[in-house]
Amino acid sequence: MSFVGTWSYRSLINNPDLSADFSSLEFGQGTLVLTEVAPGRIGGTIGGPGWSLELTGAARMGDPVELKFIGKGEVAGEPWAYSYRGYLVPNWPNGVDQRDAIVGSIVRDVAHSHGTATAGYVASWYAVRQ
C-alpha cells in the first residue's frame, strides 16, 4: 500500500492569526509508522520522546487515499486517545524533489495531563515519508 512506511509527523494548532510566531503553532511531532495488517486495515505506532501510541484503523482507496486511525496508549500513567483522518497527497506530474506526504486533522478523544489537555480539541497534521 502507498501509505505503508515510516513518516516524519508534525501537528499544528489551527490559529488563523498570521502574526502568530510559527513556533507557537506546534501541537506535536514524532515518528509515524504505518503498516497494513490486513487488506485495508492499518496498524502501527506514533510517538516521540516520552510518548507512544498504538494505531488501529482503515484505509480507503481512492483519489486521494483516505486513512482513518485511532492512536491509544498510556503516557505518564494516563490514558491517551486520538483519532486521525488523513489523505495521501497526489504527486504532481511536474513536481521536482517531491516527497510523499499525508495531510489531515486530529481530535483528542480523551482528556489527559490532569485535565489541561481537553477532549475534543482539533488540530491539523501532516507527515512526510522518511
Side-chain angles (χ1 to χ4, degrees), residues 59 68 130:
K68 289 184 187 178
Q130 292 185 357

Side-chain angles (χ1 to χ4, degrees), residues 61-76:
M61 299 313 295
D63 188 16
V65 173
E66 179 184 24
L67 309 173
K68 289 184 187 178
F69 50 92
I70 296 173
K72 290 184 178 181
E74 188 172 299
V75 179

Side-chain angles (χ1 to χ4, degrees), residues 71-105:
K72 290 184 178 181
E74 188 172 299
V75 179
E78 291 184 293
W80 282 25
Y82 287 84
S83 291
Y84 300 79
R85 177 176 281 168
Y87 301 91
L88 194 61
V89 177
N91 287 327
W92 289 99
N94 60 345
V96 176
D97 296 328
Q98 184 171 3
R99 298 191 66 91
D100 291 340
I102 304 170
V103 297
S105 66

Side-chain angles (χ1 to χ4, degrees), residues 34-56:
L34 295 174
T35 61
E36 184 178 26
V37 295
R41 303 301 303 164
I42 296 172
T45 60
I46 187 170
W51 68 282
S52 180
L53 306 177
E54 295 290 323
L55 306 177
T56 57

Side-chain angles (χ1 to χ4, degrees), residues 1 28 32 53 68 78 94 111 113 122 125-126:
M1 281 247 137
L32 173 63
L53 306 177
K68 289 184 187 178
E78 291 184 293
N94 60 345
S113 300
V122 175
W125 67 276
Y126 73 99

